[in-house]
Amino acid sequence: MILFHGSYLKIEIPKILTQEKGRDFGFGFYTTTIKNQAERWAIRTARLQSRNTDKTENAVVNVYEFDEKFAKSLKTKNFPNADLDWLELVIRCRSDLNYKHEFDIVSGKIANDNVGETVEYVLAGIMRKEDAIERLKFEKINNQICFCTKESLKSITFKDSYIIKNVNWRDL
């Protein structure tokens, strides 16, 4: 299976990244099967990095081959839908930077801006989890595959990268 990762860098050797903010499935190396999603993420991260460095950074999409056979030897969790189990993991990972789940690889829906807003409502106590799941049924939600351990990174192999040309930064 081919996976994509959007960045402002060519990443031949992926690493688990920790940050000051929680991510949907915890700290890890995030990819997607959706090329267009990775391209949008590459443009977004390049734009943010350009603002931070005060120089224009390239939007780069990295392409990896995923060894599903090797991954079967790892502890994985797949969320085919944005259900209550998915929401509970996202809430735990986003709200507690010290939380560490038991999985090497987690795949499932991505909490994009609209979905993220719903998750934030649950975190703030404004919305019940059950109501959030009902609301999310109407959202078009993209996918993500998070490699959460060093061992899991052995299941992906860098194949290629490309720079997105002719990006109109003002349209973003």
mmCIF file of all heavy atoms in Angstrom, residues 82-83 86-87 111-112 114-119 127 129-141:
data_model
loop_
_atom_site.group_PDB
_atom_site.id
_atom_site.type_symbol
_atom_site.label_atom_id
_atom_site.label_comp_id
_atom_site.label_asym_id
_atom_site.label_seq_id
_atom_site.Cartn_x
_atom_site.Cartn_y
_atom_site.Cartn_z
ATOM 1 N N ALA A 82 -15.796 6.979 12.679
ATOM 2 C CA ALA A 82 -15.654 7.887 13.818
ATOM 3 C C ALA A 82 -16.714 7.477 14.842
ATOM 4 O O ALA A 82 -17.798 8.033 14.894
ATOM 5 C CB ALA A 82 -15.842 9.331 13.375
ATOM 6 N N ASP A 83 -16.374 6.480 15.639
ATOM 7 C CA ASP A 83 -17.310 5.971 16.636
ATOM 8 C C ASP A 83 -16.864 6.378 18.040
ATOM 9 O O ASP A 83 -15.904 7.128 18.206
ATOM 10 C CB ASP A 83 -17.471 4.449 16.513
ATOM 11 C CG ASP A 83 -16.163 3.699 16.705
ATOM 12 O OD1 ASP A 83 -15.185 4.271 17.230
ATOM 13 O OD2 ASP A 83 -16.122 2.505 16.349
ATOM 14 N N TRP A 86 -13.204 5.548 18.898
ATOM 15 C CA TRP A 86 -12.311 6.486 18.210
ATOM 16 C C TRP A 86 -12.280 7.815 18.945
ATOM 17 O O TRP A 86 -11.207 8.363 19.233
ATOM 18 C CB TRP A 86 -12.794 6.675 16.762
ATOM 19 C CG TRP A 86 -12.111 7.779 16.019
ATOM 20 C CD1 TRP A 86 -10.938 7.702 15.335
ATOM 21 C CD2 TRP A 86 -12.569 9.131 15.884
ATOM 22 N NE1 TRP A 86 -10.627 8.933 14.778
ATOM 23 C CE2 TRP A 86 -11.618 9.812 15.107
ATOM 24 C CE3 TRP A 86 -13.681 9.825 16.339
ATOM 25 C CZ2 TRP A 86 -11.754 11.157 14.767
ATOM 26 C CZ3 TRP A 86 -13.815 11.168 16.005
ATOM 27 C CH2 TRP A 86 -12.851 11.810 15.228
ATOM 28 N N LEU A 87 -13.471 8.351 19.265
ATOM 29 C CA LEU A 87 -13.556 9.640 19.933
ATOM 30 C C LEU A 87 -12.859 9.621 21.289
ATOM 31 O O LEU A 87 -12.139 10.555 21.640
ATOM 32 C CB LEU A 87 -15.025 10.062 20.097
ATOM 33 C CG LEU A 87 -15.261 11.421 20.760
ATOM 34 C CD1 LEU A 87 -14.617 12.547 19.952
ATOM 35 C CD2 LEU A 87 -16.756 11.659 20.936
ATOM 36 N N ALA A 111 -9.313 14.074 12.681
ATOM 37 C CA ALA A 111 -10.115 15.156 13.245
ATOM 38 C C ALA A 111 -9.701 16.462 12.578
ATOM 39 O O ALA A 111 -8.879 17.203 13.086
ATOM 40 C CB ALA A 111 -9.956 15.217 14.760
ATOM 41 N N ASN A 112 -10.269 16.724 11.385
ATOM 42 C CA ASN A 112 -9.960 17.968 10.677
ATOM 43 C C ASN A 112 -10.600 19.148 11.406
ATOM 44 O O ASN A 112 -11.083 18.998 12.529
ATOM 45 C CB ASN A 112 -10.428 17.869 9.219
ATOM 46 C CG ASN A 112 -11.935 17.663 9.106
ATOM 47 O OD1 ASN A 112 -12.695 17.925 10.025
ATOM 48 N ND2 ASN A 112 -12.362 17.171 7.957
ATOM 49 N N ASN A 114 -13.461 20.888 11.214
ATOM 50 C CA ASN A 114 -14.842 20.729 11.681
ATOM 51 C C ASN A 114 -14.944 19.635 12.734
ATOM 52 O O ASN A 114 -15.636 19.782 13.742
ATOM 53 C CB ASN A 114 -15.782 20.404 10.520
ATOM 54 C CG ASN A 114 -15.923 21.569 9.564
ATOM 55 O OD1 ASN A 114 -15.691 22.715 9.932
ATOM 56 N ND2 ASN A 114 -16.296 21.276 8.339
ATOM 57 N N VAL A 115 -14.264 18.529 12.495
ATOM 58 C CA VAL A 115 -14.279 17.428 13.452
ATOM 59 C C VAL A 115 -13.556 17.859 14.725
ATOM 60 O O VAL A 115 -14.004 17.576 15.837
ATOM 61 C CB VAL A 115 -13.629 16.164 12.843
ATOM 62 C CG1 VAL A 115 -13.570 15.042 13.856
ATOM 63 C CG2 VAL A 115 -14.395 15.730 11.598
ATOM 64 N N GLY A 116 -12.446 18.553 14.561
ATOM 65 C CA GLY A 116 -11.683 19.037 15.709
ATOM 66 C C GLY A 116 -12.514 19.954 16.591
ATOM 67 O O GLY A 116 -12.415 19.912 17.821
ATOM 68 N N GLU A 117 -13.344 20.774 15.965
ATOM 69 C CA GLU A 117 -14.227 21.651 16.733
ATOM 70 C C GLU A 117 -15.186 20.823 17.591
ATOM 71 O O GLU A 117 -15.400 21.126 18.762
ATOM 72 C CB GLU A 117 -15.018 22.538 15.772
ATOM 73 C CG GLU A 117 -15.985 23.478 16.457
ATOM 74 C CD GLU A 117 -16.727 24.318 15.444
ATOM 75 O OE1 GLU A 117 -17.728 23.810 14.873
ATOM 76 O OE2 GLU A 117 -16.318 25.464 15.223
ATOM 77 N N THR A 118 -15.727 19.766 17.025
ATOM 78 C CA THR A 118 -16.624 18.884 17.775
ATOM 79 C C THR A 118 -15.888 18.234 18.937
ATOM 80 O O THR A 118 -16.395 18.165 20.056
ATOM 81 C CB THR A 118 -17.228 17.812 16.837
ATOM 82 O OG1 THR A 118 -17.939 18.468 15.780
ATOM 83 C CG2 THR A 118 -18.164 16.884 17.585
ATOM 84 N N VAL A 119 -14.666 17.775 18.689
ATOM 85 C CA VAL A 119 -13.853 17.175 19.756
ATOM 86 C C VAL A 119 -13.599 18.197 20.858
ATOM 87 O O VAL A 119 -13.685 17.874 22.052
ATOM 88 C CB VAL A 119 -12.524 16.615 19.189
ATOM 89 C CG1 VAL A 119 -11.578 16.205 20.308
ATOM 90 C CG2 VAL A 119 -12.793 15.435 18.252
ATOM 91 N N MET A 127 -20.489 19.455 24.949
ATOM 92 C CA MET A 127 -21.228 18.451 24.199
ATOM 93 C C MET A 127 -20.941 17.059 24.760
ATOM 94 O O MET A 127 -19.804 16.765 25.121
ATOM 95 C CB MET A 127 -20.812 18.520 22.711
ATOM 96 C CG MET A 127 -21.561 17.577 21.793
ATOM 97 S SD MET A 127 -21.012 17.721 20.067
ATOM 98 C CE MET A 127 -21.689 19.301 19.629
ATOM 99 N N LYS A 129 -20.390 13.013 24.448
ATOM 100 C CA LYS A 129 -19.721 12.178 23.454
ATOM 101 C C LYS A 129 -20.719 11.580 22.468
ATOM 102 O O LYS A 129 -20.465 11.536 21.262
ATOM 103 C CB LYS A 129 -18.937 11.054 24.139
ATOM 104 C CG LYS A 129 -17.737 11.528 24.909
ATOM 105 C CD LYS A 129 -17.064 10.364 25.608
ATOM 106 C CE LYS A 129 -15.942 10.833 26.510
ATOM 107 N NZ LYS A 129 -15.348 9.730 27.259
ATOM 108 N N GLU A 130 -21.843 11.119 22.971
ATOM 109 C CA GLU A 130 -22.857 10.497 22.114
ATOM 110 C C GLU A 130 -23.399 11.494 21.085
ATOM 111 O O GLU A 130 -23.635 11.138 19.926
ATOM 112 C CB GLU A 130 -24.005 9.947 22.977
ATOM 113 C CG GLU A 130 -23.602 8.816 23.904
ATOM 114 C CD GLU A 130 -22.897 9.281 25.189
ATOM 115 O OE1 GLU A 130 -22.866 10.510 25.483
ATOM 116 O OE2 GLU A 130 -22.364 8.417 25.901
ATOM 117 N N ASP A 131 -23.591 12.749 21.511
ATOM 118 C CA ASP A 131 -24.063 13.783 20.590
ATOM 119 C C ASP A 131 -22.987 14.120 19.557
ATOM 120 O O ASP A 131 -23.293 14.387 18.391
ATOM 121 C CB ASP A 131 -24.470 15.045 21.358
ATOM 122 C CG ASP A 131 -25.665 14.799 22.267
ATOM 123 O OD1 ASP A 131 -26.493 13.919 21.951
ATOM 124 O OD2 ASP A 131 -25.754 15.486 23.308
ATOM 125 N N ALA A 132 -21.734 14.100 19.991
ATOM 126 C CA ALA A 132 -20.625 14.364 19.071
ATOM 127 C C ALA A 132 -20.580 13.310 17.969
ATOM 128 O O ALA A 132 -20.411 13.640 16.791
ATOM 129 C CB ALA A 132 -19.306 14.406 19.832
ATOM 130 N N ILE A 133 -20.749 12.050 18.337
ATOM 131 C CA ILE A 133 -20.732 10.967 17.338
ATOM 132 C C ILE A 133 -21.865 11.156 16.334
ATOM 133 O O ILE A 133 -21.677 10.982 15.125
ATOM 134 C CB ILE A 133 -20.816 9.581 18.027
ATOM 135 C CG1 ILE A 133 -19.557 9.334 18.861
ATOM 136 C CG2 ILE A 133 -21.035 8.474 17.011
ATOM 137 C CD1 ILE A 133 -18.256 9.376 18.081
ATOM 138 N N GLU A 134 -23.038 11.527 16.798
ATOM 139 C CA GLU A 134 -24.164 11.796 15.897
ATOM 140 C C GLU A 134 -23.830 12.933 14.931
ATOM 141 O O GLU A 134 -24.105 12.858 13.740
ATOM 142 C CB GLU A 134 -25.433 12.125 16.688
ATOM 143 C CG GLU A 134 -26.118 10.917 17.270
ATOM 144 C CD GLU A 134 -26.520 9.892 16.213
ATOM 145 O OE1 GLU A 134 -27.137 10.273 15.189
ATOM 146 O OE2 GLU A 134 -26.195 8.710 16.413
ATOM 147 N N ARG A 135 -23.230 13.985 15.454
ATOM 148 C CA ARG A 135 -22.857 15.138 14.629
ATOM 149 C C ARG A 135 -21.821 14.746 13.586
ATOM 150 O O ARG A 135 -21.868 15.199 12.440
ATOM 151 C CB ARG A 135 -22.321 16.251 15.529
ATOM 152 C CG ARG A 135 -21.929 17.496 14.790
ATOM 153 C CD ARG A 135 -21.435 18.562 15.740
ATOM 154 N NE ARG A 135 -21.100 19.765 14.988
ATOM 155 C CZ ARG A 135 -20.599 20.837 15.516
ATOM 156 N NH1 ARG A 135 -20.379 20.915 16.806
ATOM 157 N NH2 ARG A 135 -20.300 21.879 14.767
ATOM 158 N N LEU A 136 -20.883 13.881 13.970
ATOM 159 C CA LEU A 136 -19.794 13.500 13.059
ATOM 160 C C LEU A 136 -20.265 12.620 11.909
ATOM 161 O O LEU A 136 -19.575 12.508 10.891
ATOM 162 C CB LEU A 136 -18.686 12.798 13.849
ATOM 163 C CG LEU A 136 -17.947 13.692 14.847
ATOM 164 C CD1 LEU A 136 -16.959 12.868 15.658
ATOM 165 C CD2 LEU A 136 -17.260 14.848 14.147
ATOM 166 N N LYS A 137 -21.421 12.002 12.035
ATOM 167 C CA LYS A 137 -21.952 11.165 10.954
ATOM 168 C C LYS A 137 -22.159 11.961 9.668
ATOM 169 O O LYS A 137 -22.181 11.398 8.586
ATOM 170 C CB LYS A 137 -23.269 10.513 11.374
ATOM 171 C CG LYS A 137 -23.101 9.421 12.387
ATOM 172 C CD LYS A 137 -24.438 8.816 12.762
ATOM 173 C CE LYS A 137 -24.259 7.723 13.803
ATOM 174 N NZ LYS A 137 -25.543 7.149 14.220
ATOM 175 N N PHE A 138 -22.300 13.280 9.791
ATOM 176 C CA PHE A 138 -22.581 14.124 8.640
ATOM 177 C C PHE A 138 -21.319 14.770 8.062
ATOM 178 O O PHE A 138 -21.400 15.499 7.086
ATOM 179 C CB PHE A 138 -23.598 15.202 9.026
ATOM 180 C CG PHE A 138 -24.893 14.622 9.491
ATOM 181 C CD1 PHE A 138 -25.184 14.560 10.843
ATOM 182 C CD2 PHE A 138 -25.805 14.096 8.591
ATOM 183 C CE1 PHE A 138 -26.371 14.002 11.290
ATOM 184 C CE2 PHE A 138 -26.996 13.535 9.015
ATOM 185 C CZ PHE A 138 -27.282 13.484 10.373
ATOM 186 N N GLU A 139 -20.172 14.506 8.662
ATOM 187 C CA GLU A 139 -18.909 15.074 8.192
ATOM 188 C C GLU A 139 -18.210 14.119 7.229
ATOM 189 O O GLU A 139 -18.225 12.905 7.424
ATOM 190 C CB GLU A 139 -17.963 15.336 9.375
ATOM 191 C CG GLU A 139 -18.413 16.420 10.314
ATOM 192 C CD GLU A 139 -18.310 17.813 9.725
ATOM 193 O OE1 GLU A 139 -17.517 18.018 8.775
ATOM 194 O OE2 GLU A 139 -19.034 18.689 10.206
ATOM 195 N N LYS A 140 -17.582 14.689 6.194
ATOM 196 C CA LYS A 140 -16.708 13.896 5.328
ATOM 197 C C LYS A 140 -15.349 13.914 6.019
ATOM 198 O O LYS A 140 -14.716 14.962 6.124
ATOM 199 C CB LYS A 140 -16.604 14.514 3.943
ATOM 200 C CG LYS A 140 -15.693 13.726 3.022
ATOM 201 C CD LYS A 140 -15.511 14.441 1.696
ATOM 202 C CE LYS A 140 -14.585 13.687 0.781
ATOM 203 N NZ LYS A 140 -13.215 13.627 1.255
ATOM 204 N N ILE A 141 -14.915 12.755 6.492
ATOM 205 C CA ILE A 141 -13.704 12.706 7.300
ATOM 206 C C ILE A 141 -12.627 11.916 6.554
ATOM 207 O O ILE A 141 -12.855 10.786 6.133
ATOM 208 C CB ILE A 141 -13.981 12.051 8.676
ATOM 209 C CG1 ILE A 141 -15.147 12.766 9.382
ATOM 210 C CG2 ILE A 141 -12.732 12.078 9.537
ATOM 211 C CD1 ILE A 141 -15.566 12.118 10.678
#
